[in-house]
Amino acid sequence: GIDLKGKRLFLAAEDHKTVEVFDLDGKWLTSITGFGQPHAIRYLPEQNDFIVTDGDGFGMVELVSGENYKILSTIKLPPGVDGAKFNPVNHYYYVESGGSETGGQTHKINIIDTKEFKLVGDITLPGNHSEAMAITRDGKKMYVNLSGPKEVGVVDLTTRKLVARWPITGAETP
């Protein structure tokens, strides 16, 4: 995550279970502890806070103060929390998590309202995991790499439904 005004870079140090803070000249400023396995970070300039997706085996997102680096709040999510994507149109943060049932038939994209820092819904997708996401400039559609079925899924963000599936043939890991 990046704070351009404050000239800071937030780095998820997964193996160290910390978030490292640097200035934009590369000088290390501090380590923030209290994470299980941080993955993605989104800085929220309007409130000088940032969100950290945390954990493979457990699953949560934390809201962290950009002023004193304390964890302010936590939202529990399904296990397998990984990457995330911010939608600048509606200010929602879409957080991947793994499948909850045996065999991984489905998994969730959890929807966090960044203004209120609360879970406002989810999107159920096929397979046990998504690896990457991209949101259209108008904020209406999301493209999701569905690693289980080896497809790209197209999600309508208004209805929160999968509206198209594009197979990726010949790829072991899309």
Side-chain angles (χ1 to χ4, degrees):
I2 190 163
D3 168 16
L4 291 173
K5 184 178 177 187
K7 299 181 180 174
R8 298 177 294 177
L9 177 70
F10 304 99
L11 172 72
E14 292 180 20
D15 293 339
H16 295 277
K17 302 181 182 201
T18 61
V19 170
E20 300 298 320
V21 185
F22 294 87
D23 70 19
L24 293 184
D25 292 323
K27 179 184 172 198
W28 175 83
L29 300 175
T30 192
S31 288
I32 307 168
T33 60
F35 304 100
Q37 192 172 27
H39 289 284
I41 300 170
R42 175 64 190 193
Y43 180 70
L44 305 169
E46 304 82 24
Q47 56 211 65
N48 190 26
D49 295 330
F50 55 96
I51 297 174
V52 179
T53 66
D54 190 8
D56 280 337
F58 44 102
M60 61 184 73
V61 291
E62 285 110 343
L63 181 66
V64 181
S65 168
E67 188 172 319
N68 63 17
Y69 303 124
K70 302 288 185 209
I71 296 174
L72 302 171
S73 188
T74 299
I75 298 172
K76 182 74 175 122
L77 297 175
V81 167
D82 196 357
K85 195 68 175 170
F86 180 72
N87 185 339
V89 175
N90 63 11
H91 296 269
Y92 284 176
Y93 198 47
Y94 298 88
V95 180
E96 310 170 319
S97 61
S100 58
E101 77 249 1
T102 305
Q105 298 299 311
T106 63
H107 68 285
K108 303 252 184 231
I109 301 291
N110 307 279
I111 307 167
I112 308 293
D113 179 335
T114 61
K115 298 223 182 256
E116 300 291 324
F117 193 67
K118 68 178 183 179
L119 180 66
V120 294
D122 59 51
I123 301 164
T124 300
L125 296 173
N128 64 351
H129 182 68
S130 293
E131 190 54 41
M133 298 175 280
I135 296 175
T136 57
R137 289 184 195 260
D138 64 6
K140 294 181 179 179
K141 289 201 175 15
M142 178 191 307
Y143 300 94
V144 183
N145 181 351
L146 303 170
S147 54
K150 301 177 187 174
E151 298 173 337
V152 171
V154 182
V155 176
D156 180 311
L157 293 177
T158 303
T159 64
R160 300 180 181 170
K161 301 284 185 204
L162 186 65
V163 295
R165 296 171 72 169
W166 303 335
I168 302 175
T169 57
E172 280 303 308
T173 306

